[in-house]
């Protein structure tokens, strides 16, 4: 978190590049009250974690996969690897300009 102006805190996302193995590749449709169903994937991606990833796995928000950013819904620690389970599309908040 960074203070963008007095009393206002925003998340500051720092991207790190990791390569991994796709260990599960599945898709599911989630019915909602909106016009179109939401597309979710329930893939698992296994990455070899460096010290930074091991210390910050709790703060991971998304993973880039198939040209899109997907929300990380679960992280399982299996040292030296992290197993990332991804779900729906990650929606970035528009950054504020002052």
């Amino acid at each position: 978190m960074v203070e963008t102006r007095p009393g206002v805190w925003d998340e500051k996302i720092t991207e790190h590049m990791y390569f991994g193995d796709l260990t599960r590749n599945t898709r599911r449709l989630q019915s909602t009250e909106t016009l179109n169903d939401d597309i979710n994937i329930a893939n698992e991606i296994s990455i070899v974690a460096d010290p930074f990833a091991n210390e910050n796995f709790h703060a991971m928000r998304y993973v880039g996969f198939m040209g899109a950013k997907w929300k990380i819904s679960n992280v399982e620690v299996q040292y030296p690897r992290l197993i990332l389970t991804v779900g729906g599309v990650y929606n970035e908040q528009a950054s504020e300009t002052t």
Side-chain angles (χ1 to χ4, degrees), residues 4-32:
T4 57
R5 55 182 180 243
V8 178
W9 293 85
D10 285 327
E11 276 188 332
K12 180 183 180 217
I13 295 179
T14 304
E15 291 187 353
H16 291 263
M17 182 70 71
Y18 293 94
F19 293 94
D21 299 317
L22 182 64
T23 58
R24 185 172 70 173
N25 189 18
T26 60
R27 172 209 47 96
R28 63 188 157 127
L29 284 175
Q30 183 175 347
S31 296
T32 61

Side-chain angles (χ1 to χ4, degrees), residues 43-45 57 71-77 82-87:
N43 293 349
E44 287 184 355
I45 299 171
F57 71 89
K71 288 186 279 187
I72 296 175
S73 59
N74 188 48
V75 179
E76 181 181 343
V77 178
L82 295 177
I83 311 300
L84 311 175
T85 304
V86 296

Side-chain angles (χ1 to χ4, degrees), residues 61-96:
R61 298 288 187 253
Y62 62 85
V63 62
F65 178 69
M66 294 178 16
K69 293 179 181 176
W70 300 90
K71 288 186 279 187
I72 296 175
S73 59
N74 188 48
V75 179
E76 181 181 343
V77 178
Q78 290 184 0
Y79 188 80
R81 300 185 81 82
L82 295 177
I83 311 300
L84 311 175
T85 304
V86 296
V89 175
Y90 178 79
N91 295 315
E92 295 182 76
Q93 295 179 354
S95 61
E96 231 179 77

Side-chain angles (χ1 to χ4, degrees), residues 38-51:
D38 293 334
I39 296 176
N40 289 311
I41 59 176
N43 293 349
E44 287 184 355
I45 299 171
S46 173
I47 65 169
V48 176
D50 62 7

